[in-house]
Amino acid sequence: MVVMSRAASIRVVATSLLWALGAVPAQAQPLPVHSGTRILQSGSLVIEIGDPESVECRWNKGLRFSPVANVLRAQLRGQEFLYSPVAGGALSYLGGLPMEFDIGQEAFQPDPPGYNEGKSGDPFLKIGVGILRRDGGAYNFSANYPVIELARMTAAWQPDRVHFVQTLTGTANGYCCYLEEDVIVKNDRLIMNYLLRNTGSKPFTTEQYLHDFVCFSGRSVGPNVRLTFPYDFTTNPAVTPWQPSGRIRSIMAAAAAVYTRIANSIEFMDKASSVPKIWIYKPEGYAGPELCAVEHTETQQRIVIETSFPTVYVGIWTTDYQVSPEQFLQVALAPGAEARFSRTYTFRTNDSVPQDGTGDNTVNGTDLSLLSSSWLRRPGDEGWEPACDISSVKDDVVDLRDFAALACQWRQEGGLPSPLAHWKLDETTGTTASDERGQHPGMLRNFPTDNSQWVVGASAGGLRFDGIDDYVEISHLPNMPIEHPRTITAWIKLDSIPAASQTLLVWGAQPPAEHWRLEVDANRRLRFFCGAGYAVASRVVGDTQWHHLAVALDPLVANHPRISDIRLYVDARPQAIYELNEQDLTVTAMEDLKVGAAYDPVASQAFNGIIDDVRLYDTPQPHLS
Ligand SMILES: [Ca+2]
Ligand SMILES: [Ca+2]
Ligand SMILES: [Ca+2]
C-alpha cells in the first residue's frame, strides 16, 4: 500500500535508474543567455549578468536601475530562481536582481541627492546611473529624466567574479559619488560586495535596494510560496500602501485573499495578481541576522537573502509571476566618507548539497581531492576553485575552515539521502523492532506476548499499538546539535476516528520543552509540539486510512531554530500551516525516541492503530515514500 504523489514516485524512480546505471545527475546546463550578458559559474551555480560594455546590454539605457551588477538569472543544478524574460526594454519590464538607489516613493524614503534643492531644469544625482535633469514635479522613479552625464563603467571579468567601477566627471550641484561592486559566485552562494564613496562637497543620505524578482522554475506565485523572516515583523499602519496598478483599492481586502501572515512568515494562499506593496519592520532592538527566505514547498527551492548591514525596512511587492522582498539599506555619507556593505544570496534545490564542489551530488573523495588541489589558493591563483570555498566565512581562501565544512557533510548525498535509522517493522514475531541500518533497534514495551501486534502494515508488516500502554523504545540515538537539520517519517493508520489527541512519537526527554511530540490532534490534524510551541498541518489525517507523515527541521538561522522552521508533510505533500505558535526550539538532548508512547497522557493519549516504516534522517529533505 503506497500513497505517494506521482511526481515524487517518478523522481525516485528516475534518480534510482541513474544510480543503477552508474550515471551522475545532470550538471546544470549552460544558460541560454540574453544579449549583452556574461556568465559566472561555480560548481552547480550559474549566474548571468549584464555586461555594461556591450552595446546589446539593454540596461545601459535605463535611468532608474543601475547597470552595475545587473544579475539577470540564477540557476542551481539546472533550476531557475529568478524571473527574467528574454524580450523587452529596460524601463518597460523588469527581471533578475536590478539595483536602484533612492526610489523616494514614500514620505519616509529619501529622494535622489539634490533633487529637492533644485528647481525645474537643475541637475540631481541618481546614484548607480548618473546625473539627470529634474523637472517641475516631485521625484518620480519611473520618469525618464533627461541625462546630463551617464556614469562611466568598467567591468573586470573572471570566471567566478566580476569587479565593477562606476565614476562621474561632473557633479550635481556638489553631489557626486563613486561606486564599486564585486559580484562573486561560490558553490551555492552569490555574493555582492559594495563600496560607495561620497566624492562631492555635500553630505547625502541614500537608500539602496535590490528588486529581487524571485520566481522558482517558472512557477506562478500562489500556494506553496512562503516568505520568512528571522523575527516577528510588524507592518506600519501609518504608511499608506503603494498601489502600483491603481486597480486594488483596499490592501486588506486584496491581501487577505492572497496571503496570510503567520508569526514571522507570509504564506501565499492564492495566485497573486498585483498585490500592493507592504512594508515590514523589525521588532524594536532586533540585533539578529538580517535576512529573509523565499521558498516554494512544492519545488523545494529556497533562496535566502542576507545583508551585512541592518535593513531599515523590507518592502514586498508581488505579482503572479514573482515575489520581491526588497531589503532597503540607508547610508549617510559626509563628503569624502565611504561605506562598505554586502548582500549574499544562498540558493538551494531539493537535491543540492552545498559541500558538493564537483557537482556530482555527493560529498566524497573527489570533493576532497578538489579541495586539496585548491589548498590555500586565492582568487586569481592557478588552481583556485571557488566551489571549494564553502565555509560560511567569506574569506576567499581554501583552508581548514572549508575542510571542516566538507568533513561535516561527508558522504552526504542529494536527492536520496540514506536514513540514519530505519525501522521497517516487518518482524512478525518477538519484542525487537530491528533497525535496517543496524545501529538502533527498538524495544517493544507492554505489547501482547502472542505476537498479535505484528500485523499487515503499509509496506509488508506493521505494528499494532493498543492505545493503552504499548510503545517502542529506542535509546542512544546520535544526539545531533539542536540546530542540525533532521527529518522523521512514518506511515500511520488509526484504529478509529479519535476523540482526543493521540501521540505518534516523542523524541527527547520527558519535560515538555525537552522533547518533540508528534500527534494526531483533537481536530484530527498532524501536530508538532515542542514546549509551548506548535505547528499544525492543514490536511486531516485522523481517519482510518493509511497516511504517510513527515516532519522536518530546516532552520533559517543555523544556531536559532524555531517552530516556524518545522516543515510538515502529509501523503508526500508539503503542508500549508493550519495553526502555529512561534517559539524557539530549546531541546538540547534527543537521544531517546518513543514511538506510540504518551509522555503526558492527559495532554495526548497513547496511539491506537498501526504504525509502519519509521525513518530518521539527518537532512531536511524528507524521503517521501
Ligand atoms: Ca562531489
Ligand atoms: Ca574559505
Ligand atoms: Ca513494514
Side-chain angles (χ1 to χ4, degrees):
M1 165 88 205
V2 173
V3 180
M4 185 163 83
S5 79
R6 189 168 163 74
S9 82
I10 289 168
R11 180 167 76 80
V12 169
V13 169
T15 317
S16 306
L17 265 177
L18 280 171
W19 284 22
L21 294 168
V24 295
Q27 283 267 17
Q29 297 300 307
L31 286 172
V33 294
H34 298 74
S35 303
T37 61
R38 296 212 193 191
I39 297 293
L40 301 183
Q41 186 158 6
S42 170
S44 301
L45 179 64
V46 188
I47 300 288
E48 182 181 5
I49 307 182
D51 178 356
E53 286 162 317
S54 163
V55 292
E56 294 185 306
C57 180
R58 58 196 166 79
W59 297 94
N60 273 325
K61 295 168 189 68
L63 299 179
R64 175 180 169 191
F65 293 104
S66 176
V68 173
N70 191 19
V71 169
L72 286 170
R73 292 176 83 183
Q75 195 187 68
L76 179 68
R77 296 194 63 77
Q79 293 190 52
E80 299 280 347
F81 285 78
L82 303 177
Y83 171 75
S84 183
V86 173
L91 289 173
S92 61
Y93 81 96
L94 301 167
L97 304 174
M99 168 171 70
E100 182 175 18
F101 286 84
D102 303 319
I103 193 170
Q105 182 66 25
E106 308 287 348
F108 51 82
Q109 294 190 302
D111 287 323
Y115 192 93
N116 292 322
E117 285 172 29
K119 57 183 187 311
S120 183
D122 283 350
F124 68 95
L125 176 63
K126 182 70 173 174
I127 300 174
V129 174
I131 298 171
L132 308 179
R133 191 181 304 284
R134 66 158 292 175
D135 59 21
Y139 178 68
N140 174 0
F141 64 75
S142 62
N144 243 331
Y145 293 102
V147 174
I148 296 174
E149 179 191 350
L150 273 186
R152 184 173 165 274
M153 294 273 307
T154 62
W157 298 88
Q158 294 180 50
D160 67 323
R161 62 192 59 212
V162 52
H163 179 68
F164 293 98
V165 176
Q166 199 186 52
T167 52
L168 288 161
T169 52
T171 78
N173 274 340
Y175 292 102
C176 196
C177 69
Y178 168 90
L179 179 65
E180 277 184 26
E181 182 175 345
D182 288 292
V183 180
I184 301 165
V185 291
K186 284 186 187 181
N187 205 295
D188 62 338
R189 279 168 290 155
L190 167 67
I191 302 161
M192 299 180 176
N193 294 327
Y194 304 91
L195 166 65
L196 178 65
R197 185 179 300 140
N198 182 343
T199 53
S201 57
K202 294 178 178 172
F204 61 74
T205 295
T206 184
E207 190 178 75
Q208 187 226 34
Y209 78 101
L210 263 59
H211 202 322
D212 299 317
F213 285 93
V214 174
C215 173
F216 297 110
S217 300
R219 302 281 282 266
S220 63
V221 175
N224 296 313
V225 173
R226 179 186 293 184
L227 178 58
T228 306
F229 296 83
Y231 44 80
D232 297 338
F233 56 80
T234 54
T235 51
N236 184 352
V239 176
T240 306
W242 178 40
Q243 298 182 357
S245 67
R247 281 178 288 139
I248 296 160
R249 289 285 158 227
S250 161
I251 186 170
M252 296 309 293
V258 172
Y259 65 78
T260 183
R261 181 191 158 199
I262 299 173
N264 57 345
S265 298
I266 290 174
E267 302 238 7
F268 288 87
M269 307 305 288
D270 201 353
K271 190 170 171 178
S273 58
S274 187
V275 174
K277 196 160 202 165
I278 57 170
W279 300 97
I280 280 174
Y281 292 79
K282 293 174 287 188
E284 198 69 28
Y286 176 79
E290 293 284 347
L291 53 82
C292 69
V294 191
E295 64 195 292
H296 196 296
T297 49
E298 283 280 345
T299 70
Q300 296 198 39
Q301 286 170 264
R302 181 163 93 168
I303 180 169
V304 177
I305 314 171
E306 184 163 14
T307 64
S308 66
F309 214 64
T311 53
V312 281
Y313 30 70
V314 181
I316 299 167
W317 180 58
T318 312
T319 61
D320 58 359
Y321 56 86
Q322 59 81 31
V323 55
S324 179
E326 302 166 355
Q327 297 154 309
F328 284 79
L329 306 179
Q330 268 182 17
V331 181
L333 291 175
E338 64 182 35
R340 290 176 189 273
F341 50 97
S342 68
R343 295 175 183 267
T344 302
Y345 294 76
T346 305
F347 304 93
R348 192 174 77 187
T349 66
N350 69 341
D351 60 353
S352 59
V353 184
Q355 291 78 8
D356 167 31
T358 57
D360 61 356
N361 218 16
T362 178
V363 179
N364 60 18
T366 59
D367 301 290
L368 183 60
S369 100
L370 187 69
L371 183 129
S372 66
S373 68
S374 191
W375 192 248
L376 297 182
R377 300 292 203 284
R378 289 184 175 276
D381 290 352
E382 185 153 354
W384 163 248
E385 178 47 74
C388 292
D389 190 18
I390 49 181
S391 75
S392 56
V393 182
K394 296 169 191 161
D395 54 6
D396 260 351
V397 61
V398 175
D399 64 8
L400 272 174
R401 277 179 286 233
D402 305 297
F403 177 65
L406 182 90
C408 274
Q409 296 300 319
W410 191 247
R411 294 198 180 283
Q412 193 66 250
E413 290 173 350
L416 281 178
S418 304
L420 280 178
H422 182 183
W423 301 277
K424 287 188 162 181
L425 305 174
D426 290 347
E427 273 76 9
T428 72
T429 63
T431 57
T432 302
S434 67
D435 169 15
E436 190 69 7
R437 308 286 295 179
Q439 299 293 310
H440 307 288
M443 303 311 296
L444 273 60
R445 307 294 187 199
N446 307 326
F447 281 89
T449 53
D450 61 359
N451 292 319
S452 60
Q453 70 274 26
W454 295 108
V455 295
V456 174
S459 171
L463 190 58
R464 171 86 174 77
F465 295 72
D466 66 2
I468 302 166
D469 58 1
D470 292 354
Y471 69 95
V472 176
E473 181 171 29
I474 300 132
S475 304
H476 310 300
L477 287 167
N479 190 22
M480 290 176 257
I482 175 59
E483 71 274 14
H484 197 292
R486 70 198 66 191
T487 304
I488 191 157
T489 69
W491 285 91
I492 66 156
K493 182 175 184 290
L494 272 73
D495 195 55
S496 57
I497 306 278
S501 69
Q502 291 192 9
T503 307
L504 300 170
L505 58 90
V506 286
W507 188 7
Q510 187 136 11
E514 289 299 314
H515 65 264
W516 287 13
R517 182 171 94 224
L518 200 61
E519 65 174 32
V520 178
D521 73 10
N523 296 319
R524 304 193 287 136
R525 289 185 164 85
L526 176 66
R527 179 180 292 254
F528 169 91
F529 257 111
C530 183
Y534 52 81
V536 183
S538 292
R539 187 174 295 194
V540 168
V541 296
D543 50 28
T544 55
Q545 305 296 311
W546 278 108
H547 292 288
H548 183 262
L549 311 176
V551 53
L553 172 66
D554 190 6
L556 176 60
V557 178
N559 57 3
H560 189 192
R562 309 179 88 200
I563 290 282
S564 56
D565 295 319
I566 293 290
R567 299 287 175 265
L568 299 170
Y569 300 80
V570 174
D571 298 333
R573 305 281 293 187
Q575 292 294 295
I577 293 296
Y578 180 75
E579 255 189 287
L580 181 140
N581 187 35
E582 183 73 304
Q583 297 275 321
D584 292 345
L585 290 173
T586 52
V587 178
T588 51
M590 297 186 79
E591 290 153 328
D592 297 322
L593 178 66
K594 290 186 172 67
V595 178
Y599 267 153
D600 178 0
V602 176
S604 185
Q605 298 172 354
F607 186 75
N608 184 10
I610 307 170
I611 295 179
D612 193 11
D613 207 60
V614 180
R615 304 179 188 205
L616 179 62
Y617 299 85
D618 66 349
T619 67
Q621 286 101 351
H623 180 77
L624 300 172
S625 66

